[in-house]
Amino acid sequence: MRRPLLPWSAITLLALLSALVVAFPSPARAASLTQVTGFGSNPGNLSMYAYRPDGLPSGAPLVVAMHGCTQNARDYFDHSGWSKYADLWKFALVLPEQKSANNYNSCFNWFQTGDTARGQGEALSIKQMVDYAVAQYGSAPSRVYVTGLSAGGAMTAVMLAAYPDTFAGGAVMSGIAYGCGTDLTSGTLCLTSQKGYSPQQWGDKVRAAYPGYSGSYPRVSIWQGTSDTTVYPFNADQLRDQWTNVWGVSQTASRTSSLPGGTTLKEYDDSTGKPAVRLYTISGMAHGLPVDPGSGADQCGTTGQYYLDTICSTYRIAETWGLDGGQEPPTGLPAPTGLTVSGTTDTTVSLSWNAVSGASGYNVYRDGTKVTASPVTGTTHTDTGLTAGTGYSYAVAAVDSGGAEGGRSATVSATTTGGSSGQCVRASNYAHTVAGRAYVQVGLTYARGSGQAMGLWNVLTYHSLRETGPDYWVLADGEC
């Protein structure tokens, strides 16, 4: 049967609708975290999730980010801050996910030899994810990086050791040195018990992961809270010893600096003067990933279980990897320069800095925490209500007319006048030794200078120490 003819007006209407469909296609779907299947033989039985920001160019970097125990890829994606910088600086993310069938607590099996050797198990599954992303997303093979928290941090060390030819850099967040454990029992002991290996022995474990490898090794950053009672802080020192030995550099830092959030950075340079290893320690931080919620260029993430408000570690890591591409902060406001301490009293610290063009005000940060209720309009500020004879760290950030904050300045230190005889610091015995206020002999801690006994060297025993002379500390419990 022939179809009935349509009237001319109906034909015209259909033609116009067809033209509109062509002229105005459906809007593209926004980028989202997506599960990927068929990425390889997957001998470790892991799941792969990926994030490709809108407008991702060919040849962009790739970051592999791994969650900790009891977490998953979505949890890490939502809290860590990596999506912010992937969108801003245009690089792809791959987030491996452990299955409870492989590990009851969803931990990556960083301690099982079948999952940590090159070409086997979970390590090979993660390598296959990288290969898939490079092939399908056009990621640059020479700009692949890896990071992870806790068990994901330990797995990061595995990938850096087993596949040094794949990764340009890595960041181990509250993790474990490669080769510390070979099964569940020995791996669990690694969390709280030191191995006592020399740097050479630690380095040999990495070299044995890929025998005969003669290329360059990835540059490594290590992040650790001083009050971590899950992965004890000495694990960061073992990682430092391991990777400085692999690089053939000294275990003595080339330089030490202070960052927001009570963070101390020690850098260990290679022969060209470029840091091969960076060690970040966050004073008083427990077990978790350092984040710093906010709209500033160097702020990221959201807080939650194992996501702790101290400093945006993701920003610092991405910056050291050169993922920023030299772009300005989102507000366009650069960090203020010339921050100086113009005066101190027993209870105040006065600051001044250079003006930033386009700034309507400035936020002032003390020890990583904003202390100005609203932006100050000038280029000076006096911080009040402080404790006599106490040291503080300051930074300043410019704010535009819309309230958005630019990058933070370099930090400066100030010590208020007065007090008994000098600065007074309360911290764990471990933190005191890391800061040089105490030293360790046969597992016991002693105040530097006075030699007063402080008890066991760990993160659980706390004491107050007061500096009464240059590098001379005495017990001052109850005073600070």
Side-chain angles (χ1 to χ4, degrees):
M1 180 182 296
R2 294 178 62 186
R3 297 177 183 174
L5 295 175
L6 293 172
W8 182 87
S9 59
I11 296 173
T12 303
L13 180 60
L14 287 174
L16 289 173
L17 289 173
S18 297
L20 287 173
V21 170
V22 173
F24 299 100
S26 299
R29 297 173 63 185
S32 61
L33 184 66
T34 304
Q35 184 170 6
V36 178
T37 58
F39 58 85
S41 60
N42 192 17
N45 191 34
L46 302 179
S47 296
M48 174 182 176
Y49 287 81
Y51 180 72
R52 301 170 64 185
D54 295 333
L56 180 69
S58 178
L62 171 67
V63 173
V64 178
M66 291 183 279
H67 63 81
C69 297
T70 73
Q71 298 175 327
N72 56 38
R74 167 60 67 180
D75 183 65
Y76 205 71
F77 179 82
D78 289 343
H79 286 84
S80 65
W82 276 109
S83 61
K84 170 180 178 175
Y85 298 109
D87 285 333
L88 177 63
W89 295 329
K90 302 303 180 188
F91 55 84
L93 295 173
V94 164
L95 292 97
E97 183 177 278
Q98 181 61 284
K99 298 178 181 178
S100 58
N102 301 334
N103 184 290
Y104 179 78
N105 289 316
S106 298
C107 308
F108 290 101
N109 288 311
W110 57 269
F111 46 81
Q112 299 284 13
T113 54
D115 286 309
T116 61
R118 183 180 175 90
Q120 297 183 34
E122 292 179 11
L124 179 55
S125 289
I126 296 167
K127 173 61 165 59
Q128 290 176 346
M129 295 179 196
V130 171
D131 293 341
Y132 179 94
V134 169
Q136 299 297 319
Y137 309 156
S139 300
S142 62
R143 301 199 66 193
V144 180
Y145 305 88
V146 60
T147 184
L149 168 66
S150 193
M155 202 66 190
T156 295
V158 168
M159 299 309 295
L160 294 172
Y163 293 98
D165 50 339
T166 297
F167 299 100
V172 182
M173 321 301 292
S174 302
I176 308 291
Y178 176 74
C180 185
T182 56
D183 54 30
L184 178 60
T185 300
S186 60
T188 301
L189 287 173
C190 288
L191 305 182
T192 57
S193 301
Q194 295 190 68
K195 285 290 187 180
Y197 295 155
S198 67
Q200 180 69 35
Q201 290 173 311
W202 280 122
D204 285 345
K205 291 183 177 295
V206 171
R207 286 181 283 269
Y210 186 2
Y213 178 67
S214 58
S216 60
Y217 277 89
R219 298 180 186 274
V220 180
S221 63
I222 303 154
W223 292 74
Q224 180 69 51
T226 63
S227 296
D228 191 335
T229 56
T230 300
V231 176
Y232 277 26
F234 64 75
N235 283 285
D237 297 332
Q238 294 180 162
L239 278 159
R240 183 268 321 276
D241 289 351
Q242 183 168 67
W243 288 100
T244 51
N245 181 265
V246 167
W247 272 87
V249 301
S250 172
Q251 283 76 56
T252 300
S254 304
R255 71 191 64 82
T256 301
S257 56
S258 296
L259 300 176
T263 306
T264 299
L265 166 61
K266 293 184 178 181
E267 297 176 290
Y268 303 81
D269 290 349
D270 63 12
S271 58
T272 68
K274 185 177 179 180
V277 178
R278 292 178 170 94
L279 173 58
Y280 299 80
T281 54
I282 301 95
S283 179
M285 193 184 80
H287 187 64
L289 185 77
V291 298
D292 183 20
S295 60
D298 61 348
Q299 291 181 289
C300 71
T302 57
T303 57
Q305 188 175 23
Y306 305 122
Y307 300 96
L308 307 178
D309 189 356
T310 51
I311 182 175
C312 173
S313 55
T314 298
Y315 170 80
R316 305 284 169 171
I317 295 165
E319 188 181 41
T320 61
W321 290 344
L323 303 185
D324 57 353
Q327 295 188 30
E328 289 291 324
T331 65
L333 294 180
T337 59
L339 178 63
T340 58
V341 177
S342 55
T344 59
T345 68
D346 285 6
T347 58
T348 67
V349 170
S350 297
L351 305 164
S352 64
W353 56 89
N354 297 329
V356 173
S357 178
S360 63
Y362 302 87
N363 289 332
V364 178
Y365 289 83
R366 181 208 312 139
D367 295 333
T369 301
K370 187 168 70 173
V371 294
T372 44
S374 59
V376 298
T377 56
T379 57
T380 61
H381 176 72
T382 298
D383 191 24
T384 61
L386 306 178
T387 302
T390 303
Y392 298 96
S393 176
Y394 290 92
V396 178
V399 180
D400 66 16
S401 58
E405 184 178 270
R408 292 187 197 175
S409 69
T411 58
V412 295
S413 298
T415 302
T416 51
T417 57
S420 297
S421 302
Q423 63 172 315
C424 186
V425 181
R426 181 168 179 78
S428 69
N429 280 356
Y430 177 85
H432 280 310
T433 61
V434 169
R437 297 183 291 267
Y439 60 93
V440 181
Q441 283 187 351
V442 198
L444 298 177
T445 312
Y446 300 88
R448 188 170 298 279
S450 69
Q452 291 176 305
M454 299 167 59
L456 292 173
W457 183 63
N458 57 35
V459 297
L460 303 177
T461 304
Y462 272 68
H463 283 293
S464 296
L465 292 178
R466 183 176 295 283
E467 189 175 28
T468 60
D471 204 26
Y472 193 96
W473 297 83
V474 298
L475 282 169
D477 289 334
E479 296 182 25
C480 60

